[in-house]
Amino acid sequence: MLRSVLLYLSEQKRLQESILRLKLARKLSRRFVAGESLDEAIQVTRDLNARGMDVTLDHLGESVEHEDQAYQATDDYIAILERIDSEKVRTGISIKLTQIGLAIDHDLCRRNLRRIAEAARDHSRFVRIDIEGSDYVQSTLDLFHGLAEEFKNLGAAVQSYLRRTEADVRELAARGASVRVCKGAYKEPPELAFQKKREVDASYVRLLEILMGSESPLAVATHDSRMIEAAKRLMGEHSNRQAPVEFQMLYGVRRDLQARLVEEGYRMRIYVPYGTEWYPYFMRRMAERPANLLFVLRAMKGK
Ligand SMILES: Cc1cc2nc3c(=O)[nH]c(=O)nc-3n(C[C@H](O)[C@H](O)[C@H](O)COP(=O)(O)OP(=O)(O)OC[C@H]3O[C@@H](n4cnc5c(N)ncnc54)[C@H](O)[C@@H]3O)c2cc1C
């Protein structure tokens, strides 16, 4: 119930405008967001790299409605790629296709994605395409498949809560595509998505089994110890597998577990979001773990 309310609030643009103006809210967002500038994100990346973790940078923004915003976001990502190359930090980028025009026009988005993929290839960097609400899943996968042959530095993401995902994953695995598996962070109806944690988790493990048995590079994106144990078991069973497997976690979430997996010798990549458009991202993190609200309320009380 609270999850649904928080996810509903995450989509309210007016509320977003008011919250973004609050100084205290900006301060609180730092729990999950590296900062508002690229300089701050690079500093966080350096620190994580020094602790044995790779990074994927997300320049926050989504659901843009005007072409010029989509071009701007594309130019920004190209500038980010140039900067991370010159700074020699170990990071790729994660992008949302609605940030570069998917909600406006499919072809516009394809052109922008191609420009980003080319720039990333020139700088030997990897581009992960985040997966968004179910309205955009088919078009996101279409755009991915359309460019993945040409650009080996592009990867897809899938959500285990969607009923369709097993079929999507079979296709991605058959093509050897790089896949990030996550549970899914949006509000989806029961016709499209499993609603019970037990079902979402069972689906997650099923997807790992399919991908682990393929030659798809695999990113296991979760903070759930049971999913992590399942992934470790499958890695043991598929020890002859050539394609790489890594764990991925969100900046600021389960830092203890992040460090432990690195100590155990697993590859770990941290998803580091930064920028001024942090409101929907931050609200989705609250929805995932309503206990996070307590830290917000406590901080507000201390003010
Ligand atoms: C690297 C990465 C990339 C992602 N990319 C996408 C994407 O492209 N599209 C998409 O829809 N979703 C994405 N997500 C979000 C994902 O779908 C889930 O919403 C989120 O990861 C929570 O699920 P979980 O697997 O951690 O398991 P859960 O069952 O939600 O949580 C398991 C445990 O993890 C801890 N935990 C989980 N979330 C939080 C939190 N916010 N704060 C504190 N503790 C927490 C708690 O201890 C919890 O008990 C991504 C997640 C990661 C880690």
Side-chain angles (χ1 to χ4, degrees), residues 37-168:
S37 69
L38 180 55
D39 284 346
E40 289 166 298
I42 299 257
Q43 190 48 51
V44 166
T45 303
R46 267 192 212 299
D47 293 347
L48 291 165
N49 286 171
R51 283 190 270 143
M53 302 178 202
D54 292 331
V55 167
T56 182
L57 280 179
D58 166 23
H59 184 215
L60 290 163
E62 55 196 87
S63 308
V64 308
E65 289 166 355
H66 303 289
E67 267 189 37
D68 53 344
Q69 294 172 302
Y71 286 129
Q72 185 59 53
T74 305
D75 288 345
D76 287 348
Y77 263 117
I78 291 169
I80 292 164
L81 286 161
E82 283 163 10
R83 177 78 189 281
I84 58 183
D85 198 13
S86 70
E87 297 276 351
K88 309 245 173 309
V89 277
R90 293 201 320 273
T91 183
I93 57 171
S94 284
I95 59 172
K96 290 192 171 42
L97 294 189
T98 65
Q99 189 178 8
I100 57 167
L102 186 59
I104 306 167
D105 178 63
H106 196 85
D107 285 335
L108 164 78
C109 184
R110 191 198 340 260
R111 288 196 300 276
N112 287 339
L113 178 59
R114 169 179 281 281
R115 284 186 59 215
I116 293 172
E118 272 169 357
R121 188 172 58 188
D122 291 348
H123 296 295
S124 307
R125 301 286 163 161
F126 192 79
V127 181
R128 178 73 60 187
I129 302 176
D130 284 348
I131 192 82
E132 303 180 63
S134 55
D135 287 352
Y136 297 111
V137 168
Q138 188 60 53
S139 47
T140 298
L141 290 174
D142 287 346
L143 281 166
F144 169 74
H145 284 304
L147 288 175
E149 275 297 305
E150 188 182 349
F151 294 98
K152 297 298 170 205
N153 59 330
L154 270 188
V158 296
Q159 297 153 323
S160 73
Y161 65 15
L162 288 186
R163 296 177 191 276
R164 59 171 287 165
T165 299
E166 184 172 337
D168 292 335

Side-chain angles (χ1 to χ4, degrees), residues 22 30 32-33 57 84 92 100 135 143 190 193 214 258 267 277:
L22 297 176
R30 292 301 180 91
F32 299 110
V33 175
L57 280 179
I84 58 183
I100 57 167
D135 287 352
L143 281 166
S214 77
Q258 297 175 6
R267 291 173 183 229
E277 304 284 314

Side-chain angles (χ1 to χ4, degrees), residues 32 130-132 157 159 161 180 182-186 197 201 204 221-224 248-250 253-254 271 285 288-289 292:
F32 299 110
D130 284 348
I131 192 82
E132 303 180 63
Q159 297 153 323
Y161 65 15
R180 169 204 289 157
C182 63
K183 290 192 186 177
Y186 298 81
K197 177 172 165 58
D201 289 358
Y204 196 101
T222 183
H223 316 93
D224 187 332
Q248 295 192 349
M249 293 193 197
L250 300 177
V253 178
R254 294 301 311 266
Y271 185 105
R285 302 298 74 85
E288 274 155 14
R289 189 164 177 266
N292 285 339

